[in-house]
Amino acid sequence: MSRLRACRSCGSTNLHPFLDLGDVALADNILTPEEVAAGGEPFHRLDVALCPNCGLVQLLEEVDPGVLFVDNYHYFSSFSDALLAHSREHALGRIEAQGLGPDSFVVELASNDGYLLRNFVEAGIPALGVEPSPGPAQAARDIGVDVVEEFFGDELAARIVAERGRADLIIANNVLAHIPDFQGFLRGMKTLLKPGGVVTIENPSVVELVKRCAFDTMYHEHYRYLSCTSVKNGAERVGLHLNHVEYFPDLHGGTNRWYLGHDDAPSPEALEWLEMEADLGAATPEFYDGFGHRVEQLKTDLLKLLRDLKAEGATIAAYGAAAKGTTMINYVGITTDLVDYVVDRNVHKHGRVMPGTHQPIRPVEVLVEEQPDYVVILAWNFAEEIMRQQAAYAEAGGKFIVPVPSPEVV
Ligand code: DWN
């Protein structure tokens, strides 16, 4: 663990802290009850600052990625039908747009369980995943995806080029925020990308995060919170250029897809997004000041709602042992006297407990079996999918609580 002294992108030391969530458990450190009883569960300060020089929002306390993404990391992308559909659409779109075929080469950084590369493998297009977490990496191999089980950076990029050549397409979904060395990761992309090739990067937008009060998407796995502005500035520092921007409002609380290339050829959409962020002041302290007060108000409102319901004798569970769920329950203080357990479809999480507050994680079928009066949807980014899936629970009288942007019983 280390405290940040200078911006991870431009090196400026003029950082502007704007949110402090206190000591929070590690988001995906999903322990067994025995591991909790053994003691030593790590908690780290979760505080965030803006670099006004380049617009990058970043954590001030960095936890070693080897601690975050190896032993107890149980995040598997394929447990979301919506994400699988979204990823397949992107893969097929790139195959068509770039005319990818058997002589092409596609690399995904943070390829997880093969949720996306499987589409290229099925199309007969040579593909390579880079995934440091052993569980997801093995799950990818089990479906025929070739994986390098390492962290990506300058050195691995050069090794891939030497062994496999440069890539026509590099995909990096929900990973540019996940590695301490922001510029080294981007330099690796520059090295690996074939002339005329395309990099696509997906990540939740920090602008939407602030607008939606989605403070719970801040956790130690996310070293930074990205905007078109900060991605453009970071990319240009290594000789890549932001050439196009797409937006997916319903994915992970509002996700941008940024297209980078060796050439500087911005589309009208890219220029519009950069202008919109400039008009909002997304790289200025004023845009972030006041966010802390809104977060504190959400905490107060959610705690009051849960305490009032418990005072009425209600039973309350939660849905989604999500990383964002860890920040929410730890910062708000949703202990086991308020929420009894958390359900999740990810079987790798069953029998374990939520980081920090230690609610048991159980199969989703429990909701219909035990019919708690309320279910807090911690994975609110999938609320529609989850409520559709749990229609039987709702038909039997169960009610959902969606905590973001402000707590609401639906
Ligand atoms: O950056 C990251 C984001 C993109 O994904 C990663 N560092 C970790 C992860 O964050 P998260 O865990 O908050 O993401 P999810 O995908 O919102 O987590 C959803 C949780 O809910 C997973 O544990 C799976 C579960 N789930 C479920 O039980 N039933 C999800 C769906 C859609 C469902 O129907």
Side-chain angles (χ1 to χ4, degrees):
M1 178 275 293
S2 59
R3 293 291 291 178
L4 200 65
R5 297 273 180 269
C7 175
R8 276 289 196 168
S9 182
C10 70
S12 168
T13 56
N14 174 36
L15 297 177
H16 177 76
F18 65 86
L19 183 68
D20 188 345
L21 298 179
D23 288 341
V24 176
L26 298 182
D28 277 311
N29 190 29
I30 310 278
L31 300 176
T32 63
E34 295 74 23
E35 288 168 329
V36 172
E41 181 179 11
F43 290 75
H44 289 279
R45 189 162 169 202
L46 191 56
D47 54 343
V48 191
L50 163 74
C51 172
N53 183 53
C54 70
L56 188 66
V57 173
Q58 53 212 297
L59 295 187
L60 288 169
E61 182 143 327
E62 296 188 338
V63 177
D64 184 300
V67 170
L68 296 171
F69 295 109
V70 186
D71 299 335
N72 273 315
Y73 188 74
H74 298 283
Y75 181 78
F76 290 71
S77 301
S78 295
F79 283 100
S80 162
D81 300 336
L83 188 63
L84 288 173
H86 169 82
S87 306
R88 179 170 177 77
E89 184 178 356
H90 182 43
L92 299 181
R94 294 316 308 160
I95 291 171
E96 183 178 355
Q98 293 181 247
L100 300 177
D103 298 330
S104 306
F105 181 36
V106 176
V107 177
E108 184 184 11
L109 310 179
S111 50
N112 198 264
D113 57 8
Y115 74 102
L116 181 141
L117 284 182
R118 62 186 310 154
N119 296 290
F120 294 98
V121 172
E122 287 163 9
I125 296 167
L128 177 67
V130 176
E131 174 53 59
S133 301
Q138 188 52 53
R141 292 189 193 98
D142 292 347
I143 60 170
V145 174
D146 187 10
V147 178
V148 172
E149 199 170 312
E150 295 183 39
F151 287 95
F152 183 73
D154 293 304
E155 189 277 325
L156 179 55
R159 193 156 19 106
I160 295 173
V161 172
E163 294 170 1
R164 304 279 296 259
R166 297 184 191 282
D168 298 275
L169 173 62
I170 300 172
I171 297 175
N173 292 345
N174 298 300
V175 62
L176 189 56
H178 295 65
I179 28 85
D181 185 359
F182 180 56
Q183 293 300 142
F185 198 85
L186 289 166
R187 274 197 311 274
M189 290 179 170
K190 174 73 176 180
T191 300
L192 182 56
L193 186 67
K194 186 182 289 184
V198 176
V199 174
T200 69
I201 297 171
E202 278 185 22
N203 217 90
S205 156
V206 70
V207 171
E208 284 304 313
L209 185 159
V210 170
K211 284 181 177 177
R212 303 185 191 200
C213 200
F215 75 93
D216 54 340
T217 60
M218 292 180 159
Y219 35 84
H220 297 98
E221 291 171 16
H222 292 167
Y223 293 93
R224 62 192 60 84
Y225 303 85
L226 299 167
S227 62
C228 302
T229 306
S230 60
V231 167
K232 173 183 185 292
N233 291 333
E236 287 176 355
R237 206 162 283 113
V238 302
L240 291 172
H241 296 276
L242 176 62
N243 287 332
H244 190 48
V245 179
E246 292 179 295
Y247 178 61
F248 305 94
D250 300 326
L251 184 63
H252 288 304
T255 286
N256 276 130
R257 179 184 290 153
W258 297 292
Y259 290 70
L260 307 183
H262 290 296
D263 303 328
D264 185 2
S267 68
E269 293 83 356
L271 297 174
E272 285 164 18
W273 271 92
L274 290 166
E275 184 178 354
M276 180 270 287
E277 289 187 357
D279 292 345
L280 278 174
T284 67
E286 292 71 24
F287 181 73
Y288 299 92
D289 289 343
F291 182 53
H293 298 306
R294 290 168 55 208
V295 172
E296 286 169 15
Q297 188 59 55
L298 187 153
K299 170 178 178 174
T300 302
D301 295 347
L302 181 54
L303 263 184
K304 182 180 186 308
L305 172 61
L306 296 177
R307 284 171 176 161
D308 289 351
L309 292 174
K310 289 301 283 187
E312 295 165 8
T315 53
I316 308 174
Y319 190 122
K324 61 176 69 65
T326 297
T327 300
M328 180 64 74
I329 60 178
N330 275 254
Y331 170 69
V332 173
I334 302 177
T335 48
T336 50
D337 62 312
L338 291 175
V339 165
D340 302 327
Y341 56 86
V342 177
V343 298
D344 196 291
R345 279 206 311 188
N346 181 340
V347 296
H348 304 284
K349 298 183 179 180
H350 296 164
R352 294 173 175 264
V353 299
M354 288 302 288
T357 53
H358 307 149
Q359 284 89 349
I361 302 168
R362 306 172 68 185
V364 298
E365 291 73 19
V366 166
L367 293 188
V368 171
E369 292 162 7
E370 300 193 4
Q371 198 63 38
D373 297 312
Y374 295 88
V375 172
V376 182
I377 302 183
L378 296 174
W380 47 262
N381 49 311
F382 292 124
E384 291 305 318
E385 180 177 349
I386 290 167
M387 288 192 284
R388 267 198 313 275
Q389 174 204 107
Q390 296 302 321
Y393 163 76
E395 285 156 16
K399 289 182 173 47
F400 297 101
I401 296 172
V402 180
V404 170
S406 59
E408 184 183 0
V409 177
V410 296

